[in-house]
C-alpha cells in the first residue's frame, strides 16, 4: 500500500503552538507530513529559512513522522517534484476562509490531482498568528504558551536590542 504523504506549507516566521497543534493532528491522519518552509526572497522575514527550519525541527521533535524542508517558487512544483498530492492548511476562523479558498483553488487549477485538507486548531489558538507573535516580541514582551520554548528564546535573542 502506498504511503499517505502530505505537505504542510507556510512561512512559519516563526512557528507557533498553533502550527504545532495542526501538524500534531495531521501526523495522526497521514503516514508522513513534511512541513514546507517557504523561502520568499521578496519578503524580509524575521528568521532566515535555516533558522525557521531549525526552530520547527526542535518544536516537532516529538513527532517521528514529521520532517521539515524548504521550498521556493510554487507549492505545486514542490509537490510534483516530491510526488505529494495533499497539502495541509490550518483553518482558524471564518476570516481565514477567503484567503485559504483562493490559495486552494489556485493550487487545484495548477495541479488538479492534488487536494487541500484543512485542520482546525484547538480553540486556544484561534486568534494566534506569527504576525501577532512577531509584533509582541518586537516590543520585548512574550506571549507565554503561544510559541514553543525554543521559539520564545530565539525571539528574545532576535529582539533584545530593538525593544522599545
Ligand atoms: O503561512 P502563510 O504565509 O500563510 O503560507 C502561505 C503559503 C506559503 C502556503 C503560500 O503563500 C504558498 O504556497 N506560496 C508559494 C507560492 C504559491 O505556490 N502560491 C500559490 C498560488 S497563488
Amino acid at each position: 500500500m502506498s504511503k499517505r504523504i502530505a505537505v504542510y506549507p507556510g512561512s512559519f516566521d516563526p512557528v507557533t503552538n498553533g502550527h504545532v497543534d495542526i501538524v500534531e493532528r495531521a501526523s495522526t491522519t497521514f503516514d508522513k507530513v513534511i512541513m514546507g518552509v517557504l523561502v520568499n526572497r521578496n519578503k524580509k522575514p524575521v528568521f532566515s529559512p535555516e533558522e525557521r527550519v531549525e526552530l520547527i525541527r526542535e518544536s516537532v521533535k516529538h513527532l517521528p513522522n514529521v520532517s521539515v524542508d524548504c521550498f521556493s517558487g510554487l507549492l505545486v512544483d514542490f509537490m510534483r517534484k516530491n510526488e505529494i498530492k495533499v497539502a495541509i492548511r490550518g483553518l482558524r476562523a471564518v476570516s481565514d476562509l477567503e484567503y485559504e479558498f483562493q490559495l486552494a483553488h489556485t493550487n487545484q487549477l495548477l495541479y488538479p490531482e492534488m487536494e487541500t485538507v484543512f485542520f482546525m486548531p484547538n480553540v486556544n489558538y484561534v486568534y494566534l498568528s506569527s504576525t501577532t507573535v512577531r509584533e509582541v516580541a518586537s516590543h520585548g514582551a512574550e506571549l507565554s504558551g503561544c510559541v514553543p520554548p525554543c521559539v520564545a528564546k530565539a525571539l528574545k535573542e532576535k529582539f533584545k536590542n530593538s525593544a522599545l
Side-chain angles (χ1 to χ4, degrees):
M1 198 179 93
S2 68
K3 292 221 168 208
R4 290 174 308 166
I5 304 178
V7 60
Y8 177 23
S11 303
F12 304 115
D13 185 35
V15 65
T16 68
N17 284 349
H19 296 128
V20 175
D21 180 272
I22 294 290
V23 80
E24 279 171 351
R25 291 167 197 277
S27 72
T28 65
T29 308
F30 293 91
D31 295 315
K32 192 177 164 195
V33 181
I34 301 167
M35 291 183 75
V37 177
L38 175 68
V39 181
N40 188 343
R41 302 282 174 210
N42 301 323
K43 269 195 181 173
K44 195 147 174 17
V46 167
F47 292 100
S48 70
E50 296 74 23
E51 288 173 320
R52 283 180 272 156
V53 165
E54 230 8 80
L55 290 172
I56 297 172
R57 279 211 178 110
E58 179 65 24
S59 308
V60 300
K61 65 181 183 200
H62 59 295
L63 303 170
N65 61 338
V66 176
S67 61
V68 192
D69 203 350
C70 280
F71 75 100
S72 55
L74 290 176
L75 173 65
V76 292
D77 290 339
F78 175 81
M79 293 178 72
R80 276 208 181 88
K81 199 175 100 200
N82 292 284
E83 296 179 18
I84 301 169
K85 298 237 170 78
V86 178
I88 286 159
R89 291 289 287 170
L91 256 193
R92 291 165 300 185
V94 177
S95 50
D96 281 343
L97 271 184
E98 188 72 28
Y99 172 62
E100 292 301 332
F101 273 36
Q102 203 177 6
L103 211 63
H105 283 302
T106 308
N107 285 334
Q108 203 179 60
L109 270 178
L110 296 168
Y111 185 17
E113 297 83 8
M114 75 158 286
E115 296 295 341
T116 302
V117 175
F118 295 102
F119 282 86
M120 245 172 39
N122 181 288
V123 71
N124 293 338
Y125 305 128
V126 159
Y127 291 107
L128 176 62
S129 72
S130 299
T131 310
T132 314
V133 165
R134 287 195 305 270
E135 168 77 13
V136 170
S138 73
H139 292 284
E142 208 178 300
L143 281 167
S144 57
C146 291
V147 291
C150 63
V151 175
K153 194 166 159 236
L155 282 165
K156 213 175 238 174
E157 186 60 29
K158 195 63 86 174
F159 288 110
K160 73 176 175 210
N161 296 321
S162 62
L164 299 174

